[in-house]
Amino acid sequence: MTGAEEAARAFGGTGPQLIRNRENAVYDVMLPSGRAALRLHRAGYQSAAAIRSELWWCRALAAAGVPVARPVPALDGQLLVALSTGRLASAVAWVDGTPLGEAGVPLAGDVAGQVARHRALGRLIARLHSATDALVLPPDFVRIRWDSDGLLGETPFWGRFWDHPALQPDDAALLRRTRDFLRDRVQDHAASGSFGLIHADVLRENVFVGESGLSLIDFDDSGFGFRLYDLGTVLSQNLFEPALPRIAQALAEGYAETRPLDPAMIPVFTLMRCCASVGWTMPRLAPDDPIHRSHIARAVGLARRVLEGGGLWP
């Protein structure tokens, strides 16, 4: 019996079908409660306590009416199952719809539709943050921290982006200056900026468009961080979209309808995400994978603009 079959059986399902195998292996499975996404968590990435905390948060958000993937308990009532291999498994209810887009592929639809969806996404992120602020976290709640140390310290959670082996000397020097710049700006922002639980990975693939609106999936990287990092993550995938100025404005306007926002910090947190993504590639991709070069080029290009006093676009 495979690990996926063992996990499916623990949740009362059979015949899991692999749909994605990246950070986690994700399977489409039918459970007694309905269709679900079965996750086999990557060993060594998140602790059992951290995954339980993620599931607790998502269950609380779903109960508050926020459209997120709702955790489904196993047959024994637990949200997290330890398999005989030592790997951990969880399941979330299936979210109907299609992803907002795909990394590296131009956004579909006309500009008006892109703008409308990003305004709605800004509202959804704000709703997520506000609903979270209303929760009382359990004492054993633990998640990673996307704070200054977690992103820019000596050992960032996703790696020392300024030490990427594919960096040219001038680009490496630029990213070292960028790291200092970001640390200074975040230190200033910390005095008044909102900090708390964030999704931390609001990429196109994790935003589903359905008949009833937008939903968020994949909280695997969620943790404690600056709230505007979620907006920066969205925009990091849109830097080469022709409609970027209107998309960025709509995202910020949607968020600002219900939550405070400092527009000047949006390019800062977008740059921070682009730099973090350079670090993310190092332990995960083969040395000749072209994504190394594309992520470096994106971070370096945006760093030049922002450090010179510019914004997200020339």
Side-chain angles (χ1 to χ4, degrees):
M1 182 168 54
T2 67
E5 291 169 337
E6 181 185 357
R9 182 172 295 181
F11 285 89
T14 57
Q17 300 295 315
L18 182 66
I19 54 176
R20 187 175 67 179
N21 191 7
R22 293 177 59 188
E23 297 293 320
N24 303 315
V26 183
Y27 296 81
D28 183 352
V29 65
M30 184 60 67
L31 303 182
S33 58
R35 193 179 182 189
L38 178 69
R39 301 186 304 171
L40 271 61
H41 297 268
R42 188 178 71 163
Y45 188 58
Q46 300 284 6
S47 69
I51 298 170
R52 289 193 185 95
S53 297
E54 171 205 339
L55 297 169
W56 182 94
W57 183 32
C58 289
R59 184 168 60 179
L61 289 172
V66 182
V68 302
R70 175 180 51 82
V72 178
L75 294 179
D76 64 1
Q78 298 298 310
L79 293 179
L80 190 63
V81 171
L83 305 179
S84 60
T85 60
R87 200 165 182 180
L88 301 171
S90 64
V92 295
W94 194 263
V95 174
D96 290 323
T98 57
L100 180 62
E102 181 182 349
V105 178
L107 284 172
D110 58 20
V111 171
Q114 295 171 8
V115 168
R117 286 189 289 274
H118 281 82
R119 180 171 284 107
L121 181 55
R123 293 186 186 117
L124 175 55
I125 295 171
R127 185 179 176 188
L128 170 78
H129 294 166
S130 294
T132 299
D133 286 344
L135 299 174
V136 177
L137 304 182
D140 58 350
F141 191 97
V142 58
R143 291 297 298 176
I144 57 178
R145 296 186 68 85
W146 296 109
D147 53 11
S148 182
D149 281 343
L151 288 160
L152 305 166
E154 288 303 309
T155 56
F157 191 68
W158 274 358
R160 295 162 60 95
F161 58 86
W162 60 92
D163 283 341
H164 195 294
L167 283 167
Q168 297 298 315
D170 288 349
D171 292 341
L174 173 61
L175 290 191
R176 287 193 294 272
R177 293 197 305 274
T178 299
R179 178 191 176 210
D180 294 336
F181 167 83
L182 291 173
R183 293 173 76 175
D184 289 343
R185 293 301 307 274
V186 167
Q187 183 176 359
D188 293 340
H189 179 71
S192 59
S194 179
F195 186 94
L197 278 172
I198 59 175
H199 183 284
D201 205 28
V202 189
L203 301 177
R204 298 171 179 180
E205 298 90 337
N206 294 334
V207 180
F208 269 48
V209 183
E211 292 183 1
S212 59
L214 303 183
S215 302
L216 280 173
I217 68 167
D218 195 354
F219 282 66
D220 191 44
D221 287 310
S222 61
F224 294 95
F226 294 100
R227 263 40 194 278
L228 293 188
Y229 184 77
D230 275 345
L231 301 188
T233 299
V234 174
L235 294 175
S236 69
Q237 284 188 311
N238 288 299
L239 293 178
F240 303 108
E241 291 290 340
L244 172 61
R246 294 184 59 185
I247 287 171
Q249 180 180 3
L251 181 74
E253 288 176 349
Y255 189 86
E257 287 178 11
T258 56
R259 292 188 63 87
L261 178 148
D262 180 358
M265 290 301 295
I266 292 179
V268 173
F269 282 105
T270 304
L271 175 57
M272 194 175 299
R273 173 59 184 227
C274 289
C275 289
S277 295
V278 171
W280 177 89
T281 65
M282 289 190 286
R284 290 171 172 83
L285 304 179
D288 59 349
D289 193 307
I291 292 178
H292 289 289
R293 295 291 182 186
S294 63
H295 276 29
I296 287 172
R298 182 179 65 173
V300 166
L302 183 58
R304 290 196 179 107
R305 288 200 298 274
V306 173
L307 266 64
E308 292 171 1
L312 295 179
W313 52 88

